[in-house]
Amino acid sequence: MPSKMPTAAKLVASIFFAALGWFVADLTKPYLPEGRSFEWLSPGLAAVGLLVGWRFTGKRIGSGMGGAVGIGLSTGFLLWFLGLFSFSGYEMLRLSLRKSYDGPVEAIRAVVEIGLEFGLMLSQPDVIGTLVVGSLLGGWLTQRTARKWS
């Protein structure tokens, strides 16, 4: 049963994936539409990385290096997916405040459409490569930490 107590592995995973989230957000900014400010994107994705690292990676790590690779890649995907979902939700709220939607169903549908649109826009080789390599490194580092201090 995973520990609910703070561990060194949870701390390392949360800090590492927060930093990875910040870095990936900075990489994505040139691919986003011009004329809008995205200064909240880096801290927002770092917060998602912090939560995912603590709640997902830190709890599951400790099953060896093979497991660490899978957990690291899963964490990277979760970071990308939750970041994209959060961004899409924020965009939908921003547009709904401008009365762009006729009802709540249309607004919810817009979250999916915005997510797909921005997901395709951000599926650039440098962003995906950084996320994959960073996730593998994060899984390895968290596993090493768990082995040494847990």
Side-chain angles (χ1 to χ4, degrees):
M1 178 148 175
S3 170
K4 294 186 187 251
M5 295 297 294
T7 62
K10 287 181 179 181
L11 179 66
V12 167
S14 62
I15 291 171
F16 183 87
F17 284 102
L20 181 63
W22 190 290
F23 187 69
V24 167
D26 282 347
L27 278 177
T28 62
K29 287 179 182 178
Y31 302 112
L32 296 173
E34 293 184 25
R36 296 231 0 256
S37 175
F38 292 101
E39 73 262 356
W40 55 269
L41 185 62
S42 295
L45 201 54
V48 170
L50 186 83
L51 290 172
V52 169
W54 185 273
R55 302 278 302 168
F56 183 79
T57 310
K59 274 186 183 180
R60 287 164 179 78
I61 210 74
S63 60
M65 278 304 163
V69 168
I71 292 169
L73 288 174
S74 298
T75 304
F77 175 77
L78 201 55
L79 174 65
W80 179 82
F81 180 77
L82 290 176
L84 192 60
F85 181 75
S86 300
F87 178 76
S88 300
Y90 175 82
E91 274 297 298
M92 182 273 297
L93 286 174
R94 189 181 71 76
L95 292 171
S96 68
L97 291 174
R98 294 182 178 178
K99 308 223 184 276
S100 299
Y101 306 115
D102 292 331
V105 174
E106 186 179 343
I108 292 171
R109 190 175 307 138
V111 170
V112 174
E113 291 170 2
I114 293 168
L116 289 173
E117 177 184 332
F118 280 108
L120 290 174
M121 196 182 307
L122 300 178
S123 295
Q124 303 295 324
D126 59 337
V127 175
I128 299 295
T130 301
L131 192 58
V132 167
V133 171
S135 297
L136 290 171
L137 183 61
W140 175 81
L141 184 63
T142 306
Q143 174 61 35
R144 297 280 300 176
T145 303
R147 185 182 305 162
K148 185 165 178 102
W149 286 300
S150 293

